[in-house]
Amino acid sequence: MRAISLFSGAGGMDVGFEQAGFRVAWANDFDKDACATFQANFDTPIVQGDINRHIPTLDQFSDIDVLFGGPPCQGFSVAGKMDPNDERSQLVWSFMKAVEVVQPRAFVMENVKSLATLAKFSAIREKLFWLSQKLGYSYDLVVLNSRNFGVPQSRERMFFVGIKGDTKFRFEPEAKRFSSEEKAVRDIIFSLGKAGTEKNKRVCNAKITIAAKPVLRKSPYSGMLFNGQGRPVNPDTPSCTLHASMGGNRTPIVDENHLFEGSPSWVENYHHHLMNGGQPYGMNEAPEFLRRLTVDEALRIQTFPDDYEFIGRQSSVFRQIGNAVPCNLAFAVARAVRSILGSAETSANYIQNKQYVAAV
């Protein structure tokens, strides 16, 4: 099956879709380093630049089975300003214009959970539904958590899926047919060995300092025990969401002795100390065996192949990894789309009118 990839980034969705049997015919991203990373791992050429400049050229493609991609989410994220008028938020309409030009058998738009659930974005959702129907697509909007699909990370993402014609489908149960056993961080990174060793060389040297005024939560792995936004990772559960802001003191924290030596968790013991009224330790009293997540560990937590090549400075590589859709989650989504396309009776009355864009 043939696909077009938009907002491709480092290629997390592309890995999953190609593993599911799709062949990407064309790809695009704005970021120079992400495009270099994509080109280092795929035979498909990727076009760098503003997608709006390239959409008119997509009419060269016919018989495309699926158009997929994740428009930038910063304007919709609860970690950002949640501004629907953010310039990046307008790119969801660029995605739909690409659907209008290409007329694929299916489309998959990925974004943050808040776009699918918050009342303040209801008008955007209704407009997406209207456009999909106008173009002749049945659709479904679901939120999936990557931890249910073999990804050692709790990461909830929206998937807006359209199928050409009047086919009725429910995407979530179809996707969950391809769910996997939950994996803990330890399961996936232990075999890399300690930070700095042969298979785990790309370390993050940002210093870890203890917060003078910690913010406590019930879990030792929530709240803010350390300065910066990097939270500690519990190796015995899926990790928290890896963000594109990783790098420096925003990179998650690992207790190396707890992970590799089976020692008691320093983070849990310190949290217990604070919860029982103990005073915070001094800023520089974090033990040396607490360190930041490495690039190789982050790559595995996002379920990229071990031999996946990343281009750019370490800060750029962390950003590319954090921005990506976990490959195993993309694989399950792609298999569900294939399954639906394989069983769907496509309508003979496709809507060909391409004049609606003027009204968007």
Side-chain angles (χ1 to χ4, degrees), residues 85-104:
N85 296 314
D86 186 302
E87 182 179 355
R88 294 164 294 186
S89 301
Q90 305 310 305
L91 291 170
V92 295
W93 312 124
S94 302
F95 182 97
M96 294 307 296
K97 185 174 180 181
V99 170
E100 181 256 347
V101 171
V102 175
Q103 293 286 308

Side-chain angles (χ1 to χ4, degrees), residues 21-42:
F22 289 91
R23 172 69 175 172
V24 176
W26 191 87
N28 166 263
D29 198 82
F30 190 81
D31 184 86
K32 181 180 178 180
D33 285 348
C35 287
T37 293
F38 187 99
Q39 202 62 82
N41 294 280
F42 293 95

Side-chain angles (χ1 to χ4, degrees), residues 214 216 269-281:
L216 297 179
N269 287 339
Y270 180 53
H271 177 264
H272 180 77
H273 162 78
L274 294 173
M275 292 292 282
N276 282 278
Q279 293 300 306
Y281 294 168

Side-chain angles (χ1 to χ4, degrees), residues 103 132-137 164 349-354:
Q103 293 286 308
S132 300
Q133 289 180 319
K134 193 167 182 66
L135 284 172
Y137 289 87
K164 194 69 164 157
N349 298 315
Y350 290 171
I351 296 177
Q352 299 297 337
N353 182 2
K354 298 186 178 183

Side-chain angles (χ1 to χ4, degrees), residues 23 50 76 80 107 144 150 175 257-258 260 272 282 287 295 318 343 353:
R23 172 69 175 172
D50 183 352
F76 303 117
F107 67 78
L144 302 176
N257 284 0
H258 181 48
F260 290 105
H272 180 77
V295 168
F318 269 125
S343 61
N353 182 2

